[in-house]
Amino acid sequence: QVELAESGGGSVQTGGSLRLSCVASGYKYSSKSCMGWFRQGSGKERERVATVDGDGITTYADSVKGRFTISRDKAKKTLYLQMDSLQPEDTDMYFCAADGYTECFAPTLFAHEYPYWGQGTQVTVSS
């Protein structure tokens, strides 16, 4: 089992920044697992924002490239998402996800590949 707890969401104006955090725990958590950030709006499918694999290789959705940065602190068991130059279209509920494998060294891009999810944190960007 992997338990994930997100924090750091909030309301900002266009152009502002937020940093989301996701603390992982549980006996199946591994510092070499694949993890990711996804977002979902009302009535929309959950979409990938950014992922990181066991080697630290990252992927980003085209809509956030150059503005968002995913990182992980293995000692703190924490995944981060630094979000800069926020736009109103970034308004969504943001979720942290983990695959639960001991090692993961291939991009894990799709929501259905992640069995473990946090409760989500709301990000609202006003114009």
Side-chain angles (χ1 to χ4, degrees):
Q1 189 74 10
V2 178
E3 297 179 350
L4 303 170
E6 304 100 333
S7 62
S11 298
V12 296
Q13 293 188 328
T14 298
S17 297
L18 286 172
R19 188 175 81 156
L20 306 184
S21 299
C22 171
V23 179
S25 62
Y27 76 93
K28 292 197 73 175
Y29 171 76
S30 166
S31 63
K32 294 185 179 181
S33 64
C34 280
M35 297 188 73
W37 288 99
F38 289 75
R39 63 189 183 187
Q40 185 173 23
S42 178
K44 295 163 56 179
E45 291 189 359
R46 194 165 293 189
E47 65 175 8
R48 175 180 61 100
V49 176
T51 66
V52 61
D53 72 7
D55 274 335
I57 304 300
T58 58
T59 74
Y60 294 93
D62 288 343
S63 59
V64 307
K65 281 181 181 176
R67 301 188 297 121
F68 291 11
T69 303
I70 189 172
S71 62
R72 67 198 298 176
D73 184 325
K74 294 183 177 181
K76 294 183 178 179
K77 299 181 180 180
T78 302
L79 183 72
Y80 300 101
L81 185 68
Q82 177 66 41
M83 304 187 294
D84 299 319
S85 301
L86 282 161
Q87 303 297 314
E89 52 266 35
D90 295 317
T91 295
D92 264 331
M93 184 72 79
Y94 284 70
F95 297 88
C96 172
D99 71 355
Y101 290 112
T102 301
E103 295 182 333
C104 172
F105 300 120
T108 305
L109 305 180
F110 302 103
H112 71 263
E113 297 180 279
Y114 291 90
Y116 301 105
W117 293 86
Q119 293 299 308
T121 185
Q122 178 68 37
V123 172
T124 302
V125 185
S126 59
S127 57

